Structure formats: C-alpha cells, structure tokens
Amino acid sequence: MPTENDDFKPDPTLLRVFPEAAVGGYSRVNGDIEFYSRINALVDEKSRVLDFGAGRAWWMFEPIPEMPRRLRMLRGRVAEVVGTDVDDAVLTNPSLDKGLVVEIGKPLPFEDASFDLVFADFVLEHINAADAQDVADDIMRVLKPGGWFAARTPNKWGMVGLGARAIPNGLHVRLLKRLQPDRVAEDVFPVRYQMNTRRTLRRLFGRHRTYVYGNTSEPAYFGRSVTAWRLVSFLNRLTPPALSPALLVFVQKTDD
C-alpha cells in the first residue's frame, strides 16, 4: 500500500534540537524505536499478535522515519496480526490481518491463551477506572502462558500527563490542533489516566511478572517551537525517572 513515507524529511525543529536526526530521520530519544524494538525482540515468525486499540494505523498514511515504520509493521513478519478498537476505522487498518470492533470494557472475542503478544500503544490512558481491572484481566486471559503484554502510555505524573489532566477533554482537539497542526481530530480521544502510574499498573497486573520504566522522547506535543523543544528537553534531563513523560510497560504472563 502506498504511503507518504517516500516524501519524509526530518522536521526542521527536530533537526535543530536533535541534529543526529539527519542520519536516518530520527533522534537518539525516539520513543518508537525504544518501544517497538522491544516488541520485535519478543516475537518471531510463529507469533500471533494482538494490537489492542489498533485504530487506523495513522503511521501508514503520514510521513514518519523509515526505521520506526519498519519496526511497527509486524504483518508479514509474524504468523498473524489481529487488531481491536472501539472505532470502526480498525476494519480497514492495512497493518492487520484482521480487525474487530470491540467496546471498551467488553470481553475480547478470543479464546483463552490465543496470543503470544498483546500490545497497546497510547491506549491505556483512555480506559475508565471502572473498566481498568477487567481490561487488564482480559488481556492476560487471551495471552499464552509466558506471553507478553507491552504498552506505552503517558505517565500520570509526567509533564504531558499533568498538562492533559489540567485541560478538559473537550478542549484537547482544539489545543492539539494549535500545537500540532498536522494532527487530525480522529486521532484524538478522551483521556482518563486510570492505568498510568507504576503503582496502579503493578496492582492491576500484580500476579504476573511486571516491568515498568520511564521513557523520555522527542517533545512533539509542544509543536514546532525550537525554544519550547529545547526548554522541555532541558527540563526532561533534570526530571527524575519517576516523573518521565511516558511509561513503558512489559508484563509476562505466569503459568496458570
């Protein structure tokens, strides 16, 4: 399927703040590289994978660096990629072998121990408190013993999480349109931040092997201002790991 990736050029703001992006198009702190490299390390050609909250695969239609795009594209390199989402855009997601619409809080329509890996990329922050434990339990139910759940989500106590919670959900589209003019409204969803602290994640997945660590990537949320990027990047270097902007979560299912 054609993408806009052939036209990709590193953003001038990115190059000013992270000049190494001239080599391959991405910075040394690119969050996609960190998250999807670990996912790739956990799967092989026999793996069955579930993309929980798959959406429309925006990264296939918008220009991004080639290496993150390759790492994201698991279809064709694993046995099967299935995707679920609350939005019917998942039905035409070209990165999936199969897409299904599933309401948040509803049981996943799969048998127990169906998948080798489940991943959720910036999805957990949209789940209500009332659904959080059911969602966590259902994800682990469909994983095979020894399989992995991988998630990337904003840290509730990080700069982005604090800012997002301070702004009413109804204003998120308007604000992000100003900061990120190229971001489309269909990729903006209400945030809840009920699965977004280390303590909460360890409680929700408590009986399984849970690894959570902070991640600081390019400050894309702050638009294209070089001054803002440099200021945020400086503050991030001073920020303790507990307050990192994002959390990377890896949970290995223990034997039932």
Side-chain angles (χ1 to χ4, degrees):
M1 170 170 289
T3 72
E4 297 182 25
N5 227 54
D6 292 339
D7 301 323
F8 175 76
K9 293 181 180 179
D11 186 88
T13 302
L14 177 66
L15 288 170
R16 291 277 299 278
V17 182
F18 298 100
E20 72 276 7
V23 184
Y26 61 91
S27 78
R28 62 187 179 276
V29 297
N30 184 282
D32 288 348
I33 298 291
E34 172 66 16
F35 183 56
Y36 284 98
S37 290
R38 290 199 183 271
I39 286 177
N40 276 261
L42 297 173
V43 298
D44 58 28
E45 68 279 2
K46 298 178 182 178
S47 299
R48 191 165 184 244
V49 175
L50 173 61
D51 184 347
F52 180 77
R56 67 184 182 98
W58 63 268
W59 49 272
M60 293 193 70
F61 303 98
E62 299 177 19
I64 66 170
E66 180 62 19
M67 183 54 68
R69 191 181 68 83
R70 285 185 200 171
L71 291 172
R72 282 174 172 268
M73 190 59 177
L74 296 176
R75 184 183 182 188
R77 295 191 291 112
V78 299
E80 184 180 27
V81 182
V82 180
T84 61
D85 202 279
V86 298
D87 194 311
D88 60 10
V90 72
L91 300 176
T92 56
N93 181 325
S95 72
L96 306 174
D97 293 297
K98 182 196 305 183
L100 299 168
V101 176
V102 180
E103 294 180 35
I104 289 180
K106 297 293 184 181
L108 292 167
F110 309 112
E111 295 181 1
D112 296 358
S114 297
F115 295 95
D116 299 281
L117 181 136
V118 178
F119 72 95
D121 194 7
F122 290 120
V123 174
L124 300 186
E125 62 272 19
H126 304 296
I127 296 173
N128 292 316
D131 296 323
Q133 188 64 66
D134 288 340
V135 167
D137 291 345
D138 208 35
I139 286 172
M140 302 314 292
R141 176 186 67 79
V142 302
L143 271 175
K144 297 176 182 178
W148 288 89
F149 171 55
R152 176 167 56 160
T153 192
N155 182 358
K156 183 176 182 178
W157 305 118
M159 190 183 304
V160 173
L162 290 170
R165 287 188 293 126
I167 299 167
N169 276 313
L171 298 179
H172 280 189
V173 172
R174 189 183 308 170
L175 180 62
L176 284 174
K177 191 65 177 176
R178 177 174 295 183
L179 292 174
Q180 300 174 332
D182 297 330
R183 185 162 179 174
V184 297
E186 64 192 283
D187 293 329
V188 183
F189 301 93
V191 289
R192 312 298 181 193
Y193 288 92
Q194 301 301 316
M195 299 179 74
N196 296 80
T197 68
R198 287 171 171 80
R199 178 179 295 180
T200 299
L201 289 161
R202 291 193 174 104
R203 172 176 57 79
L204 293 170
F205 297 98
R207 65 190 184 90
H208 305 283
R209 297 186 184 93
T210 304
Y211 307 88
V212 184
Y213 63 96
N215 179 253
T216 301
S217 59
E218 301 151 3
Y221 267 99
F222 295 88
R224 294 175 176 171
S225 167
V226 172
T227 300
W229 274 49
R230 284 178 172 161
L231 176 60
V232 172
S233 296
F234 173 73
L235 292 175
N236 283 337
R237 288 196 293 273
L238 302 179
T239 300
L243 302 179
S244 297
L247 297 176
L248 299 190
V249 185
F250 297 90
V251 183
Q252 187 176 32
K253 183 175 180 177
T254 56
D255 292 343
D256 290 334

